[in-house]
Amino acid sequence: MNFTNLQIETENIPQLEDIVLKPISKSYFKIIVLNQLLLYALLVSLVFIGKYITENDEHVIINFWYLLLVVIVFCIINFIYSYLAFKKRKYAIREHDVVYAKGLIVHSIIAVPISRIQHVEESRSWLARHFGLSTLKLFTAGEAGSDLSIKGLPHLEAKKIKEIISANINGSN
Amino acid sequence: MEVTDFSQPIRQSSKGIIIIFAFNAFKFFKKFFVLLIAFGLSLMKGKTIGSLTPTMIWLGFIGILIVIFIIAILKYLNFKFHLSEDDFHLSTGIINKDTTIIPKSKIQNVYIKQNFLQQLIDVVSVKIETAGDKKAEIEISALDKPTALLLKKKLFTKANVDEHSVEVTDGRDVFFKVTPKRLLLEGLSQNHFKSFTLILAFGFGLYTEFQQYLEELEVIEYAKDYVKVEEGTLINLLITNILIVLVFVVVSFLFSIIKTFIINFNLEVVEHQKTIEINKGLFNKVSLSLTPSRIQNIVITTNRVKQYLGLHSLAVRQAMTDQKQQKNFNIVALEKDQVNYLIDKLLVDYDREGELSKPRPYFMRISTYHMLLFLAVTNGLAFFIFGTELWWINVLIVPLAVLYVYYAYKKAYYKISNNYITIGSGVIDTTTNILEIHKIQGIKLKQSFFQKRRHIASVVISTASKKVTIPYVSKAEALSIYNFLLFKVESQDRDWM
């Protein structure tokens, strides 16, 4: 039995701080913007429809311009927030693990060892295909939610990562 | 005794027909419960429904039973299983044929269960569980006990053969057997809030369900008359209310005790060379084996009262078992040193020594916020429902909230040793969570906007069965834990199952 139990120098083990996290593709922000534009276009048109319906009704006195203003202010805040949050989405692939960071208000850095990944999936929505992006989903065992999904990766990059991980999974079995 | 040969496809015991029949009939009647009651009522009154006479209803009823019985026979005939070198094979289905193959190495658990009917006709059911999909679960519902035990042994021994040599001795060493007295204490010292709310909900549900009938029977009127006699004094009203609460409390105590007894009746922990076997249950007898390599987390729970009485529960979490099954892995009413013994058995080289680290005092700040929110909500609710009369309730709640914050922080600790992580938590209960480092599936470093300025972060550790959090430690500490755990997992190349 060749068992060794060397002392581990905590300074010498790989450090999280040393990882250079790569930002996800800039085009993904376009997708976020498009999705939100769609949502707010819907909201604004709802406001206008509401205005149209209640126009002749004397009893309803709501200032529609205020309502519209609220929606638009909300929209702008949401955009700024999305942009800042988008900046926080970063990822890195190391030899033995995949690291993904996200979140503006609650920032989290998730690491999943490649040896624990059960299977990999690359999914592409219609919009994502249009921008040449894809989402990489990494599944681990158990329902405890250590699954990882990295959105907005360039298609080629995602494919490459998927291949690396697949090779690793199949190699270990 | 003839030894069953598992290499050829075999059927289960012919008594299985009865089990399948009973099970299907039960399922059927559960589905058409309301309809049946309608028919049953008309039968009782001897009336006809439309053009159906009582005789026809009886005939139809018997016809349905016969159909279910035939289906049961066909199911039985088409249910065959056998063992090959490395796999378990099962073919089922009357019209759609299904063949399931489970590699022995992927089997996580083999349970032997016996419900009331099975106890009557002396068969057991064998359930094979994998860590994968819930659908992949297999149940053989009727085997005689020696065959079941043999099957279980065969399923396990082969699976372990490449890891360590086959278990040599099969000595039955009963390590722990619960006494009725300890079960009683266990039931008494449980967290009664749970069963109290359950009983309350049940009573309320029952009341709304039968409100109509009660009105019809004029029970309310009767009760009102009865109350009227004693009406007049406020004290009487108070006494009635207190009595009602007392009844609920007593009922929930009884409920806890009876539940504990039924589930844990004759709880027995048997020690084998590598595994541990748990047997328990009154109406549903369960027998299951724990293999150390399949364990993902171990949770030990006790509370103040239980600690005083020397009662500890040990729960073993495995990958992907469903909630109902999970409960079977609880061993209750253990002494402290029995818990320690079991831990040593299940977790090799678990180091009990070593210093405990505490979260930052920021932890208290967060729980204080939680409690303030709770106070605000309760006060708001009380204000809206009862007005300002109930302000005095704060006299009760505020000290409790302070105690909550104090105990939550006092009981929180974490310890990271060479191979294990131990995390303590709890407020009323004292919970100790132990997991092996190489069973970690993923690690998360979490830090909110407010924590960033204070250089505080939490580490969330996921295994295949559970998520545990090391809450609110300093950023530097969190990072070093994170790095250390990742390094451990990735450098060791050990399997998590």
Side-chain angles (χ1 to χ4, degrees):
Chain A
M1 197 166 152
N2 49 358
F3 175 72
T4 53
N5 197 2
L6 300 172
Q7 189 187 353
I8 301 157
E9 297 297 335
T10 28
E11 298 81 39
N12 293 341
I13 63 177
Q15 302 288 312
L16 180 68
E17 301 92 307
D18 298 343
I19 307 175
V20 186
L21 290 164
K22 273 197 270 183
I24 60 170
S25 167
K26 287 231 164 55
S27 322
Y28 187 68
F29 189 60
K30 292 179 197 159
I31 293 184
I32 297 177
V33 169
L34 278 175
N35 277 332
Q36 287 197 351
L37 274 182
L38 196 71
L39 179 73
Y40 282 101
L42 221 77
L43 278 178
V44 168
S45 50
L46 264 180
V47 170
F48 275 105
I49 289 169
K51 187 185 179 208
Y52 177 75
I53 290 171
T54 54
E55 209 162 25
N56 303 322
D57 200 333
E58 296 287 312
H59 303 294
V60 187
I61 312 157
I62 304 170
N63 198 326
F64 285 101
W65 300 113
Y66 275 133
L67 207 60
L68 197 64
L69 196 70
V70 168
V71 170
I72 285 168
V73 166
F74 223 80
C75 175
I76 290 168
I77 291 172
N78 204 337
F79 268 113
I80 293 169
Y81 176 80
S82 302
Y83 183 70
L84 292 176
F86 172 76
K87 285 269 172 200
K88 293 280 181 189
R89 291 192 189 202
K90 287 175 180 176
Y91 71 96
I93 313 290
R94 291 198 288 183
E95 228 175 301
H96 291 290
D97 49 33
V98 181
V99 182
Y100 183 48
K102 64 166 189 216
L104 181 63
I105 291 180
V106 179
H107 187 66
S108 59
I109 307 169
I110 307 162
V112 176
I114 290 179
S115 58
R116 295 292 181 266
I117 295 172
Q118 299 285 309
H119 82 273
V120 207
E121 203 180 288
E122 188 196 352
S123 77
R124 310 182 71 196
S125 66
W126 178 80
L127 256 182
R129 273 204 301 279
H130 212 262
F131 287 106
L133 299 178
S134 45
T135 301
L136 193 71
K137 289 180 182 162
L138 308 175
F139 296 92
T140 60
E143 50 201 331
S146 48
D147 298 344
L148 202 59
S149 101
I150 306 176
K151 288 173 182 158
L153 283 176
H155 178 46
L156 282 177
E157 173 95 9
K159 215 169 159 181
K160 234 187 280 168
I161 296 171
K162 191 183 150 194
E163 263 154 30
I164 294 171
I165 294 172
S166 298
N168 221 310
I169 296 171
N170 295 332
S172 65
N173 279 352
Chain B
M1 189 191 81
E2 107 187 76
V3 178
T4 321
D5 178 18
F6 288 112
S7 61
Q8 297 303 316
I10 49 168
R11 299 199 175 96
Q12 47 193 325
S13 153
S14 52
K15 289 171 186 166
I17 300 173
I18 304 173
I19 302 290
I20 299 171
F21 171 69
F23 184 67
N24 283 343
F26 178 70
K27 248 189 4 197
F28 180 81
F29 288 122
K30 213 169 125 190
K31 240 182 201 166
F32 298 101
F33 185 64
V34 185
L35 205 73
L36 284 168
I37 282 189
F39 277 123
L41 277 178
S42 67
L43 268 183
M44 278 204 304
K45 289 171 187 165
K47 278 189 205 155
T48 56
I49 300 174
S51 57
L52 292 172
T53 59
T55 357
M56 281 169 82
I57 293 174
W58 276 118
L59 281 178
F61 188 69
I62 291 164
I64 290 170
L65 283 184
I66 289 172
V67 168
I68 294 176
F69 190 66
I70 291 171
I71 291 176
I73 292 176
L74 286 176
K75 263 195 182 166
Y76 161 77
L77 287 176
N78 285 296
F79 189 100
K80 284 181 187 168
F81 63 91
H82 71 276
L83 286 173
S84 70
E85 193 72 11
D86 309 299
D87 307 301
F88 174 83
H89 299 252
L90 173 77
S91 55
T92 53
I94 303 168
I95 298 165
N96 294 323
K97 303 282 181 193
D98 278 336
T99 311
T100 314
I101 301 171
I102 300 180
K104 279 184 187 172
S105 59
K106 294 282 184 269
I107 293 173
Q108 177 161 259
N109 281 311
V110 178
Y111 306 91
I112 294 182
K113 299 206 303 191
Q114 208 177 18
N115 64 22
F116 195 61
L117 181 66
Q118 285 164 333
Q119 284 180 45
L120 275 183
I121 61 173
D122 196 28
V123 289
V124 295
S125 78
V126 176
K127 202 165 184 180
I128 299 170
E129 201 181 56
T130 60
D133 211 347
K134 271 173 196 137
K135 278 181 194 158
E137 242 172 48
I138 283 173
E139 187 163 1
I140 305 169
S141 47
L143 283 177
D144 56 281
K145 200 156 184 203
T147 316
L149 286 177
L150 191 66
L151 177 64
K152 179 178 167 184
K153 203 176 135 200
K154 289 225 166 172
L155 285 170
F156 263 125
T157 42
K158 268 288 181 193
N160 294 346
V161 85
D162 44 337
E163 284 169 32
H164 26 68
S165 55
V166 188
E167 282 180 31
V168 197
T169 45
D170 236 11
R172 237 178 98 86
D173 189 4
V174 178
F175 161 69
F176 171 72
K177 197 164 169 43
V178 80
T179 56
K181 188 186 149 209
R182 286 183 74 81
L183 265 191
L184 185 74
L185 288 176
E186 172 74 28
L188 269 175
S189 58
Q190 254 177 27
N191 190 348
H192 291 286
F193 285 110
K194 245 190 227 162
S195 37
F196 186 74
T197 41
L198 210 72
I199 295 281
L200 215 61
F202 183 69
F204 190 70
L206 218 62
Y207 176 72
T208 45
E209 193 88 339
F210 290 103
Q211 204 172 15
Q212 270 189 330
Y213 299 102
L214 287 178
E215 270 166 23
E216 268 177 33
L217 291 169
E218 292 169 351
V219 171
I220 306 282
E221 296 301 312
Y222 183 74
K224 265 184 191 160
D225 282 346
Y226 179 71
V227 173
K228 232 171 226 163
V229 183
E230 297 178 54
E231 214 182 349
T233 48
L234 200 74
I235 296 195
N236 268 334
L237 199 70
L238 204 69
I239 288 174
T240 328
N241 278 332
I242 288 174
L243 271 180
I244 290 174
V245 170
L246 264 182
V247 165
F248 267 113
V249 167
V250 169
V251 169
S252 55
F253 263 72
L254 275 178
F255 182 77
S256 295
I257 292 169
I258 291 170
K259 208 177 116 197
T260 313
F261 259 95
I262 289 179
I263 294 175
N264 297 307
F265 186 74
N266 264 346
L267 170 70
E268 193 183 60
V269 181
V270 183
E271 208 182 329
H272 294 280
Q273 198 131 3
K274 287 271 192 258
T275 59
I276 278 173
E277 186 186 317
I278 305 172
N279 301 316
K280 63 179 177 181
L282 182 61
F283 298 123
N284 270 315
K285 276 191 191 169
V286 191
S287 161
L288 44 95
S289 296
L290 289 175
T291 319
S293 68
R294 301 286 192 257
I295 296 169
Q296 304 294 329
N297 291 58
I298 287 186
V299 184
I300 300 148
T301 329
T302 182
N303 61 31
R304 239 320 138 76
V305 184
K306 282 187 182 173
Q307 209 164 16
Y308 177 73
L309 296 168
L311 298 166
H312 302 257
S313 319
L314 185 134
V316 174
R317 302 292 186 96
Q318 293 183 312
M320 292 288 259
T321 31
D322 58 285
Q323 222 59 44
K324 213 170 135 194
Q325 226 51 264
Q326 198 84 262
K327 286 196 183 118
N328 288 332
F329 293 102
N330 280 6
I331 309 172
V332 295
L334 285 165
E335 293 275 6
K336 180 88 186 147
D337 43 334
Q338 286 169 326
V339 169
N340 288 342
Y341 183 83
L342 277 181
I343 290 175
D344 286 340
K345 173 95 185 173
L346 296 172
L347 307 172
V348 186
D349 290 336
Y350 177 69
D351 26 11
R352 207 157 276 107
E353 273 87 54
E355 70 178 304
L356 309 177
S357 320
K358 298 286 288 178
R360 309 288 305 163
Y362 183 81
F363 185 96
M364 285 209 271
R365 179 195 291 261
I366 293 290
S367 14
T368 310
Y369 288 154
H370 284 180
M371 278 298 110
L372 282 178
L373 188 74
F374 173 71
L375 281 177
V377 169
T378 39
N379 269 310
L381 272 178
F383 180 74
F384 278 117
I385 299 170
F386 302 106
T388 44
E389 283 168 35
L390 260 178
W391 64 268
W392 55 266
I393 203 154
N394 285 326
V395 177
L396 288 174
I397 297 181
V398 170
L400 281 180
V402 172
L403 279 180
Y404 175 92
V405 173
Y406 173 71
Y407 275 111
Y409 184 65
K410 197 185 165 202
K411 287 183 178 179
Y413 70 85
Y414 65 93
K415 186 175 86 180
I416 293 166
S417 60
N418 214 9
N419 289 315
Y420 295 97
I421 303 173
T422 313
I423 295 174
S425 61
V427 181
I428 298 173
D429 287 345
T430 307
T431 311
T432 314
N433 206 317
I434 306 171
L435 65 99
E436 279 174 276
I437 289 181
H438 73 268
K439 288 185 176 165
I440 291 173
Q441 298 279 341
I443 309 174
K444 183 155 104 180
L445 188 84
K446 228 168 83 177
Q447 187 180 42
S448 79
F449 185 70
F450 308 102
Q451 291 160 7
K452 199 166 185 173
R453 287 182 305 165
R454 301 173 192 279
H455 304 290
I456 281 171
S458 304
V459 183
V460 183
I461 302 158
S462 314
T463 63
S465 65
K466 204 173 185 261
K467 234 188 227 178
V468 291
T469 309
I470 300 178
Y472 314 123
V473 293
S474 70
K475 178 84 190 275
E477 174 79 4
L479 274 174
S480 78
I481 292 171
Y482 194 93
N483 289 328
F484 176 71
L485 292 181
L486 266 186
F487 170 76
K488 273 296 218 182
V489 173
E490 287 161 6
S491 64
Q492 279 183 6
D493 194 28
R494 285 172 73 181
D495 248 339
W496 61 276
M497 204 186 106

